[in-house]
Amino acid sequence: ETQTAPRRLVVLGSTGSIGAQALDVVAEHPERFDVLALTGGRNVALLAAQAMRFRPRFLAVLDQPLAAELRERLPGDYTPEILSGPESFVELAELSEADMVLSSIVGAAGLPPTFAAVRQGTDVALANKESLVLAGGLIRAACRESGAALLPVDSEHNALFQASCNETAASLRRLILTASGGPFRGRDRAFLETVTPAQALAHPNWSMGAKISIDSATLMNKGLEVIEACHLYGLPESRVATVVHPQSIVHSLAEYVDGSLLAHLGPPDMRVAIAYCLCYPERVALSVTPIDLVRLGGLTFEEPDLALFPCLRLAREAFAASPSHPVVLNAANEVAVALFLSGALPFLGIPRLIERCLDRHDGRDIPDLSSVLDLDHEARERARELSGALRD
Ligand code: NAD
Ligand code: MG
């Protein structure tokens, strides 16, 4: 059975690494999609180029001056509606004509539009893992109520989805998320003391946005992914294991009660996961380099070094502590990563700052979106204050 009408797509964060790769997938299968809206942060030049190519009816950027600049870059015969400000991302996420929203804004900024889309009942291809870390319970409840599907783009969770890992399977023993180990796998503490942003940004297997690249270097990315998996599959963190797999070929595994492991293998190319979600339930051809198993020779697995990379442990502890601890974890991490990238915090200051923030948090009820966003805001201010003592 082939799809008849093109899927009407809203891409949130189209100028980012995931967003741009999603548009590569669209360009490879133009008959399958109708790009309804694109949003970007500040990269107006790239957004204008994307807009001219895909001609969406709606565009949005962070503020009014950027919107004016964007308008100037577009030709006179193409006049989309150009919105601005954080509310505009929410507005486009809940367009009733949309069939699918790709949530690929980075960080907590992605939560309000992601939540708006699922509440509206629109299927969401989810790259923005921070949404689930902050408000997994609320998002899942909104999906149940509206009927929206959440299709995981994150490669590990997409692997489990592709391996037909079923959240309700009584026979599922645990999930095993693979981790590349990041650029500092096997290094010692003395080396990590001296790490620069440029070194941390150079990931061995994946080319990604700055924030997730740093998260990969600290292993916070795997911590966020453990929490993401717990929400997607309704599991306690004790049933989501992690293993370092430097080749990034096995993207994750599900272990069943009879000892069976179901895994998904593929090239380390995010377009595979993105296309699987955007075209679901169909699988489409992609111009990715297939894996040559013989040339690869072997796949290796090892234990993550939690003493040197405490962020993974901190994320597990936060998830186990209370629903609000992951909000504080994420806020402190976003502040710490930004400080590190600007040269104001050493690499090892990232886990130290996060641990301080978590130690000072008591846990509280976060029954709705606004209480999550209030806590996020508060926790960021707290993290900035506490960072003073840890700065270079
Ligand atoms: P990126 O930094 O390359 O792109 C982020 C996008 O969000 C850009 O379009 C940017 O303009 C926009 N943006 C930034 N701040 C914004 C704000 N405050 N409001 C609105 N828009 C804003 O990031 P990325 O690497 O593409 O990652 C996007 C998300 O996908 C992250 O949550 C990340 O964890 C997740 N993810 C990424 C990868 C990857 O390979 N890059 C893999 C798995 C998951
Ligand atoms: Mg991932």
Side-chain angles (χ1 to χ4, degrees):
E1 187 195 351
T2 51
Q3 192 183 316
T4 46
R7 195 162 269 178
R8 284 163 301 191
L9 201 61
V10 172
V11 181
L12 304 171
S14 67
T15 57
S17 164
I18 292 289
Q21 292 180 86
L23 292 180
D24 289 345
V25 170
V26 171
E28 234 179 306
H29 296 278
E31 71 292 348
R32 286 181 171 266
F33 301 100
D34 174 2
V35 179
L36 188 59
L38 296 177
T39 84
R42 305 195 168 279
N43 191 343
V44 173
L46 180 56
L47 187 60
Q50 293 176 337
M52 285 187 268
R53 171 141 195 204
F54 297 99
R55 303 253 162 173
R57 271 170 39 214
F58 303 93
L59 295 170
V61 284
L62 267 171
D63 61 36
Q64 184 48 50
L66 290 164
E69 196 188 326
L70 179 59
R71 170 87 60 206
E72 266 173 39
R73 287 175 181 266
L74 300 177
D77 66 344
Y78 168 51
T79 53
E81 204 173 312
I82 302 181
L83 314 176
S84 64
E87 333 72 55
S88 69
F89 308 129
V90 169
E91 203 176 313
L92 296 182
E94 56 193 16
L95 280 176
S96 58
E97 307 102 288
D99 296 313
M100 188 176 277
V101 170
L102 172 63
S103 168
S104 54
I105 288 173
V106 61
L111 172 60
T114 302
F115 192 64
V118 297
R119 274 235 293 227
Q120 168 74 24
T122 305
D123 293 344
V124 171
L126 185 71
N128 179 262
K129 63 192 87 187
E130 294 91 346
S131 303
L132 284 179
V133 171
L134 266 68
L138 293 173
I139 290 175
R140 293 304 306 245
C143 285
R144 281 192 296 273
E145 204 166 301
S146 71
L150 214 50
L151 311 169
V153 171
D154 208 353
S155 60
E156 297 74 7
H157 311 76
N158 185 265
L160 296 167
F161 180 40
Q162 292 209 35
S164 299
C165 175
N166 184 335
E167 64 174 295
T168 58
S171 54
L172 178 69
R173 184 183 286 152
R174 58 176 191 153
L175 303 175
I176 305 172
L177 305 184
T178 51
S180 69
F184 306 138
R185 184 178 62 91
R187 297 293 193 159
D188 60 12
R189 189 170 301 275
F191 179 84
L192 293 188
E193 306 265 6
T194 68
V195 154
T196 64
Q199 288 171 306
L201 286 170
H203 195 277
N205 303 344
W206 303 92
S207 160
M208 309 179 288
K211 193 262 179 180
I212 186 176
S213 295
I214 303 306
D215 287 348
S216 298
T218 61
L219 290 199
M220 179 55 90
N221 184 49
K222 214 46 55 180
L224 300 177
E225 290 180 355
V226 167
I227 298 175
E228 180 182 14
C230 291
H231 284 299
L232 286 171
Y233 292 97
L235 295 172
E237 57 84 24
S238 58
R239 286 175 65 193
V240 181
T242 56
V243 65
V244 172
H245 166 48
Q247 297 83 22
S248 295
I249 298 296
V250 179
H251 296 304
S252 279
L253 315 90
E255 182 182 311
Y256 291 87
V257 289
D258 63 353
S260 295
L261 289 174
L262 297 190
H264 167 265
L265 283 71
D269 187 321
M270 286 305 297
R271 287 175 300 163
V272 177
I274 294 167
Y276 191 76
C277 292
L278 295 188
C279 300
Y280 186 79
E282 292 180 43
R283 193 184 285 281
V284 299
L286 287 177
S287 60
V288 300
T289 314
I291 292 171
D292 182 335
L293 288 172
V294 173
R295 207 170 140 201
L296 196 65
L299 301 172
T300 62
F301 301 92
E302 61 196 48
E303 203 73 60
D305 185 342
L306 295 185
L308 216 45
F309 301 100
C311 286
L312 178 51
R313 168 180 63 81
L314 293 172
R316 286 184 180 281
E317 289 172 0
F319 183 75
S322 86
S324 65
H325 278 77
V327 178
V328 173
L329 172 95
N330 182 74
N333 183 54
E334 289 193 28
V335 168
V337 168
L339 288 173
F340 170 68
L341 284 172
S342 69
L345 190 70
F347 185 73
L348 294 177
I350 298 174
R352 283 191 198 116
L353 177 56
I354 298 165
E355 186 149 29
R356 282 182 180 213
C357 293
L358 288 170
D359 283 348
R360 283 163 177 76
H361 179 66
D362 285 331
R364 70 166 76 151
D365 271 355
I366 40 168
D368 50 28
L369 184 67
S370 69
S371 53
V372 173
L373 298 177
D374 287 347
L375 176 56
D376 171 60
H377 183 78
E378 212 179 287
R380 280 168 199 267
E381 300 218 312
R382 201 76 205 281
R384 282 188 208 100
E385 286 164 25
L386 290 171
S387 71
L390 294 170
R391 290 181 191 229
D392 273 348

